[in-house]
Amino acid sequence: MGTKYNTVKQAIMCKILDGTFQPHQKIYTESELMKQFGVSRHTVRIAIGELVTQGWLYREQGAGTFCVDRTKEESTNVSNQKNIAIITTSISDYIFPSIIRGAESYLSQHGYHVSLFSTNNSHDSEQRALKKILLSSDGIIIEPTKSALFNINIIDYLNLERQNIPYLMINAFYDELDPLSITMDDEKGGYLQTEHLIELGHTNIIGFFKTDDIQGNKRMKGFLKAHREYGVTIDPHNIVTYNSEEKSTKPVEILREKFNIDGDLPTAIVCYNDELAIRLLDVIREKKLQVPDDISIVGFDDSFMASVTEVKLTTIQHPKSKMGEKAAKMILDIIKEVAGSHKKARDIGESIVIEPELIIRDSTKQMHK
């Protein structure tokens, strides 16, 4: 039950943080939350009760549960607090709430006010966030937008360096800036995904990679490397690339086309992330195929999606909240070392690359001989 009520609790917190629930706005009813998350009333009440106790929500007898106006409390304290900004491509979706939660928890324990910004994977939104926080933050934790593309906001980052404001990139980085960063070894992660399937006897493997960020390119590199090292011929048509704007459509369309063509069907799928894997599972169901009996599939990130679907996904583990916590600790260490010295923030500390780990569940299976 603990996992279920935490899922409800974190979802409500994310809706508050991203502005879906405004101060004093009534949130969903217990019945609506029960239906939305498929949980019992008892589970919902535990989640809401904790949020009330922690100052996120308040109840009015006979009227419902409402969002607390946290801005009043924050505005009275902000002058006495130091500020850290966290910029991510999303606040409320996928693995981002966990990353933010890990960072925010550590920072708040050390007396820092946290400002959250979502770019929605837009360079323009990233630029607006950077300009807004340039003179109001002691440090910045950033997940870059479309990190494989040219960084049109390079001047804003150079302004941060000129002001000696520490910034740290997570999940990816802009290569031209050579910034301090905390990332996964995405190439090795893509390799492990593919190696696992090859070792199970699969040779007709289709890979889907989002290539407007560094992660997707590196995961594709690992996919190719595993094929080469195991002597498995790569069918060029089995490499599917797409960009952020196409993520909900192109992979689904390509897989449908694959299934509609007579001939050898792929027996396994490597996915850029768990979110994509869930979408492709719907296509597999449409074709009346079974996972893993007819086709194996591997995700990436070990998100909550990997275990809530009826097919528990084999996937690559992502540290999520631990990454957020590491980023928070690192940025505070830099701030402390810069204070009262002539040191440059970008010269302090070393980047961290986290080793990936394959989590084997029910979505992959040995090929029939």
Side-chain angles (χ1 to χ4, degrees), residues 172-227:
F173 54 86
Y174 294 125
D175 190 54
E176 59 270 31
L177 288 169
D178 192 24
L180 196 65
S181 63
I182 302 179
T183 59
M184 291 278 290
D185 186 339
D186 288 292
E187 179 183 332
K188 186 172 181 180
Y191 182 94
L192 291 175
Q193 287 177 296
T194 312
E195 178 185 52
H196 172 63
L197 294 171
I198 292 173
E199 289 180 339
L200 290 175
H202 296 277
T203 56
N204 190 356
I205 306 169
I206 184 169
F208 292 84
F209 306 98
K210 186 161 77 73
T211 52
D212 53 0
D213 62 41
I214 287 179
Q215 300 100 301
N217 288 320
K218 290 187 174 180
R219 292 171 193 179
M220 180 168 58
K221 185 177 179 181
F223 175 84
L224 298 174
K225 185 176 180 180
H227 277 83

Side-chain angles (χ1 to χ4, degrees), residues 134 137-139 157-167 334-335 337-348:
L134 180 60
S137 293
D138 298 286
Y157 286 100
L158 293 176
N159 280 336
L160 291 177
E161 294 179 14
R162 185 170 56 84
Q163 298 283 344
N164 209 24
I165 298 173
Y167 68 90
I334 296 171
I335 291 170
E337 194 161 343
V338 167
S341 74
H342 297 291
K343 295 180 180 178
K344 291 293 184 182
R346 66 167 288 109
D347 297 330
I348 299 170

Side-chain angles (χ1 to χ4, degrees), residues 22-215:
Q22 294 294 313
H24 307 298
Q25 179 182 344
K26 186 177 179 180
I27 70 162
Y28 304 129
T29 65
E30 289 183 357
S31 296
E32 287 170 336
L33 289 168
M34 289 166 60
K35 184 177 180 180
Q36 183 177 346
F37 294 98
V39 297
S40 68
R41 190 175 300 274
H42 178 64
T43 298
V44 169
R45 286 179 175 173
I46 291 176
I48 291 176
E50 287 201 3
L51 290 173
V52 170
T53 301
Q54 293 169 4
W56 291 78
L57 301 174
Y58 67 92
R59 293 189 178 102
E60 286 189 1
Q61 187 67 33
T65 306
F66 299 81
C67 177
V68 167
D69 187 355
R70 299 174 75 236
T71 59
K72 287 184 178 180
E73 179 184 350
E74 289 171 355
S75 63
T76 58
N77 293 331
V78 70
S79 61
N80 297 321
Q81 287 180 315
K82 301 210 174 197
N83 300 287
I84 298 293
I86 300 177
I87 305 174
T88 58
T89 54
S90 174
I91 289 176
S92 59
D93 294 333
Y94 197 47
I95 63 173
F96 301 106
S98 295
I99 295 172
I100 292 167
R101 188 165 63 249
E104 189 176 34
S105 175
Y106 185 90
L107 292 168
S108 62
Q109 288 173 21
H110 289 78
Y112 277 78
H113 170 78
V114 177
S115 300
L116 296 177
F117 298 86
S118 171
T119 67
N120 291 315
N121 224 17
S122 159
H123 282 126
D124 289 341
S125 296
E126 180 187 71
Q127 186 179 64
R128 284 193 294 271
L130 289 169
K131 289 186 183 302
K132 185 173 182 179
I133 64 183
L134 180 60
L135 299 176
S136 62
S137 293
D138 298 286
I140 307 170
I141 297 170
I142 307 169
E143 187 209 16
T145 292
K146 297 180 180 177
S147 54
L149 306 183
F150 172 69
N151 173 20
I152 64 171
N153 298 324
I154 189 168
I155 292 174
D156 298 283
Y157 286 100
L158 293 176
N159 280 336
L160 291 177
E161 294 179 14
R162 185 170 56 84
Q163 298 283 344
N164 209 24
I165 298 173
Y167 68 90
L168 166 69
M169 293 191 174
I170 57 172
N171 278 331
F173 54 86
Y174 294 125
D175 190 54
E176 59 270 31
L177 288 169
D178 192 24
L180 196 65
S181 63
I182 302 179
T183 59
M184 291 278 290
D185 186 339
D186 288 292
E187 179 183 332
K188 186 172 181 180
Y191 182 94
L192 291 175
Q193 287 177 296
T194 312
E195 178 185 52
H196 172 63
L197 294 171
I198 292 173
E199 289 180 339
L200 290 175
H202 296 277
T203 56
N204 190 356
I205 306 169
I206 184 169
F208 292 84
F209 306 98
K210 186 161 77 73
T211 52
D212 53 0
D213 62 41
I214 287 179
Q215 300 100 301

